[in-house]
Amino acid sequence: MTSSRRTFGNRSARRTRRSVLRLRLSVLGIAFVLSLFAARLFQLQGVDASAYASMAQAEGTRTVTLHAARGAILDRNGVPLASSTDAVAITADPTLTTMHAPSIAAVLANRLHLDYFDTVAKLRTPNTRFVYLQRRVPSWRAAAVLKDLSEHQLTGVFTERDPLRTYPEADVAATLVGLVGASGDGTSGLEQQYNSVLKGVDGQATYVTSPAGEHIPMADSTVQAAQDGTGIVTTIDRDLQWYADRRLAEAVRSTRSDWGAAVTIDVQTGQIYQFSQFPSFNPNRLEHLDVNDVTNRGISYVYEPGSVEKLFTYSALADSGQVDPRTHIVVPGVYNVDGFAIQDDWSHGTIHLTATGALAKSSNIAAILASQRVSKQTLASYLHSFGLGSPTSVGLPGESGGILAAPSTWSDAQHATIAFGQGLSVTALQMAAGIAAIANGGEYVQPTLVSGYLQPDGSIQAAPGAERHRVISARAARMVATMMTAVTQNGGTAPLAAIPGYRVAGKTGTAQRVDPTTGTYAAGQRTISFAGFAPADAPRFMTYVVLDNPKDGSFGGTGAAPVFHDIMTMVLQRYGIPPTGAGPVKIPLQW
């Protein structure tokens, strides 16, 4: 028994010693392996850190651009005229798509209507890991594309944030708002002029990818967030703009004019409430876009203003103390200057008109005779002060300054024709701003389209105030406004501009049209216009309408004046401007 116990105890001791030995060997083995890992880690982090980091970045990470959303363009009441919606760019890594390019291209051609062969070529682009397949794809459509590719186990196609520019009001104020090109920069209108404000700053994200190029959610990543653009708040009234756009389009079509423009300005602030131009376009549908329709004709096309310019001539005379509404002017049937015989639009012998009658009947000869009471230099100085010959700097690209020659170069004939609106060229906005100065008591206010900037926190930073300067005295402005009321009354050239219950001041314009190819007057062609404001004795808004090359025989009082009537009527109603109760002005037209 004792011998058996001793044998069993020896065996147990030997097993214990073997177990301890195995444990020690295991610990040594683990320590050895760990030392190898430590050495490798030291090599990676210390000796070859930069080299291996570069390899990792090249092979296991992906950097994408986070495109900033453009700031919105709003009307004066906060209605979006242009905004950015959620969308993505569809991209590819050609190192992952080359093998299955035909299959991937088939899916993209079906889902996105891309050209199959062009897409195959992009998917096989050599020496790059990034190509754009399509920009600004609505998120819901992109999701369908990725799902389709996933079901077919096709990898290497990705998405990145790429907001889509949309225009909720379609063609309303389209020429003013403008367009954004494929690069994401504005190419016309406010989109171009304020591109640096609207576009924001792109960011980027870098993250670890799997061998198939897929984002590993739990892996390290770095993100530099995009800074979205600042919005701009315009002075435009969307509803008034919508109505004026359609009324102008109707007039252009019915008169068969080449183009038309209509602008309404708050005479006290210079803010533009509507600036309609036709032809126009729908920025959401550019398949058949005529690039000419993108042009802001109201600031870039120049034309001779015709008799509306007489308002500036009579303003200069009134401010200089040379005429008042009852000044007598003897008007012959023909006036000869520098060998040219100038007549009025209607045949007459010698007639006796007051200054008011001369304006109401739009006598060219009377304007010439009256203008001779001031020098060429004086008249030119007033025209420049009213804004002719220089851009208004309204804040739109492509604005023309018109053409107004230096008075030192004027012949007697040129002095005569400029006095009634020929021999100089203007833009529609120049004329509107100048006439608004008369309505504003003689003070010119620079026209503006942007009232403020919408910050990311929702606050609005006011835009700088409009520049102002006095052109004529308040007394002279009242005299000219009084004379203008006779134009819309019986005996004037534009009774169709009259608005029941209101005293309306206005002036018609019908000018010969210059053929741009020859530089001479085109036979039978003219540019017609009408400018006015109401109530004439307490004006708040003025509206100017111009129609170029009408082919139905219209004149300023028959083609443009009715458009003014309808737009101004809506303005008065929309802004609750009541009649002043003043009756018609009773100044004799003849003496």
Side-chain angles (χ1 to χ4, degrees):
M1 178 74 70
T2 301
S3 176
S4 297
R5 288 196 190 102
R6 188 179 297 116
T7 302
F8 177 77
N10 292 338
R11 291 176 181 172
S12 177
R14 285 195 296 273
R15 284 197 297 269
T16 300
R17 285 194 296 272
R18 285 196 296 270
S19 297
V20 171
L21 180 60
R22 284 196 298 268
L23 179 60
R24 289 175 177 173
L25 292 174
S26 298
V27 170
L28 289 173
I30 293 172
F32 177 74
V33 172
L34 290 176
S35 68
L36 292 177
F37 281 128
R40 183 59 171 166
L41 182 62
F42 174 77
Q43 181 186 27
L44 290 174
Q45 293 186 339
V47 179
D48 296 329
S50 58
Y52 281 95
S54 298
M55 291 175 59
Q57 183 173 0
E59 299 297 331
T61 63
R62 179 168 174 261
T63 299
V64 299
T65 300
L66 302 178
H67 294 282
R70 284 180 75 84
I73 300 177
L74 310 176
D75 91 331
R76 64 184 309 106
N77 299 309
V79 177
L81 301 175
S83 59
S84 295
T85 59
D86 189 29
V88 297
I90 295 183
T91 68
D93 179 347
T95 65
L96 302 174
T97 59
T98 296
M99 182 178 299
H100 301 292
S103 300
I104 296 172
V107 172
L108 298 176
N110 178 55
R111 288 286 189 179
L112 301 177
H113 308 292
L114 298 181
D115 181 89
Y116 172 81
F117 295 103
D118 286 347
T119 305
V120 169
K122 288 182 179 180
L123 293 169
R124 288 175 169 169
T125 304
N127 305 318
T128 183
R129 297 200 62 182
F130 180 89
V131 292
Y132 279 116
L133 299 177
Q134 189 170 46
R135 299 286 304 273
R136 301 178 189 91
V137 180
S139 297
W140 60 268
R141 180 171 294 170
V145 170
L146 295 181
K147 180 181 178 182
D148 202 350
L149 292 172
S150 177
E151 290 176 349
H152 290 82
Q153 297 183 344
L154 299 172
T155 59
V157 175
F158 311 97
T159 61
E160 60 184 43
R161 183 175 186 253
D162 194 18
L164 173 67
R165 198 62 162 171
T166 62
Y167 301 89
E169 299 301 324
D171 61 342
V172 175
T175 52
L176 295 182
V177 174
L179 289 170
V180 173
S183 66
D185 291 321
T187 58
S188 66
L190 294 170
E191 294 276 29
Q192 178 180 348
Q193 185 73 22
Y194 292 88
N195 186 63
S196 61
V197 174
L198 293 165
K199 70 181 301 183
V201 180
D202 289 347
Q204 68 177 22
T206 301
Y207 51 82
V208 179
T209 60
S210 69
E214 297 175 343
H215 180 197
I216 300 175
M218 299 301 292
D220 291 339
S221 62
T222 59
V223 177
Q224 180 183 346
Q227 300 175 31
D228 291 343
T230 298
I232 60 175
V233 181
T234 71
T235 61
I236 295 298
D237 178 332
R238 180 267 179 203
D239 291 344
L240 177 60
Q241 179 77 34
W242 180 91
Y243 176 78
D245 282 355
R246 277 138 187 81
R247 182 63 184 89
L248 178 67
E250 177 188 355
V252 171
R253 293 189 182 105
S254 64
T255 61
R256 302 195 303 281
S257 298
D258 288 355
W259 60 271
V263 56
T264 297
I265 297 177
D266 183 326
V267 302
Q268 299 170 6
T269 66
Q271 293 188 351
I272 298 172
Y273 277 54
Q274 64 81 206
F275 195 173
S276 300
Q277 299 169 64
F278 189 84
S280 186
F281 65 99
N282 184 341
N284 295 318
R285 302 181 63 183
L286 303 177
E287 300 86 6
H288 306 292
L289 177 67
D290 183 340
V291 293
N292 291 321
D293 294 342
V294 180
T295 302
N296 276 289
R297 293 177 172 89
I299 62 164
S300 61
Y301 281 19
V302 297
Y303 58 93
E304 296 197 346
S307 293
V308 174
E309 191 277 339
K310 292 172 185 173
L311 297 176
F312 304 146
T313 297
Y314 282 105
S315 291
L317 292 166
D319 194 58
S320 302
Q322 300 300 318
V323 300
D324 63 36
R326 296 177 183 272
T327 297
H328 293 180
I329 305 175
V330 179
V331 184
V334 179
Y335 183 78
N336 292 290
V337 57
D338 285 348
F340 296 97
I342 299 176
Q343 296 176 299
D344 284 325
D345 286 339
W346 78 102
S347 298
H348 61 77
T350 299
I351 55 178
H352 299 76
L353 299 176
T354 62
T356 299
L359 196 64
K361 295 183 176 296
S362 200
S363 169
N364 293 337
I365 296 175
I368 294 171
L369 294 172
S371 72
Q372 292 175 348
R373 302 183 184 193
V374 296
S375 68
K376 300 172 184 176
Q377 289 74 16
T378 297
L379 179 58
S381 176
Y382 277 101
L383 295 179
H384 278 295
S385 192
F386 273 115
L388 275 58
S390 302
T392 68
S393 299
V394 67
L396 287 172
E399 183 178 15
S400 171
I403 302 172
L404 179 60
S408 60
T409 67
W410 294 5
S411 64
D412 289 342
Q414 197 168 7
H415 184 189
T417 59
I418 286 175
F420 65 80
Q422 292 194 182
L424 73 167
S425 295
V426 299
T427 67
L429 187 59
Q430 279 180 322
M431 291 299 292
I435 296 156
I438 298 173
N440 191 41
E443 184 183 31
Y444 181 95
V445 183
Q446 180 187 29
T448 57
L449 269 170
V450 173
S451 62
Y453 302 95
L454 181 63
Q455 304 300 315
D457 62 2
S459 63
I460 296 177
Q461 176 186 348
E467 295 183 4
R468 299 167 176 264
H469 66 266
R470 181 154 294 281
V471 184
I472 58 176
S473 68
R475 180 174 180 272
R478 285 194 299 271
M479 283 196 289
V480 175
T482 298
M483 294 164 63
M484 291 171 66
T485 61
V487 174
T488 63
Q489 297 174 184
N490 291 333
T493 57
L496 293 177
I499 300 174
Y502 292 86
R503 183 185 286 182
V504 178
K507 185 67 192 80
T508 55
T510 301
Q512 290 179 279
R513 186 173 184 270
V514 175
D515 185 338
T517 60
T518 64
T520 59
Y521 290 118
Q525 295 185 13
R526 54 183 173 266
T527 301
I528 64 175
S529 56
F530 185 89
F533 47 88
D537 50 337
R540 165 81 184 281
F541 295 99
M542 69 76 53
T543 295
Y544 177 64
V545 179
V546 57
L547 300 173
D548 186 60
N549 196 24
K551 301 170 185 66
D552 70 335
S554 291
F555 291 85
T558 59
V563 182
F564 162 87
H565 169 278
D566 293 346
I567 294 175
M568 182 56 70
T569 297
M570 181 178 181
V571 172
L572 296 172
Q573 293 174 351
R574 181 164 176 78
Y575 288 92
I577 300 173
T580 61
V585 174
K586 296 181 179 180
I587 297 175
L589 305 185
Q590 300 187 38
W591 54 280

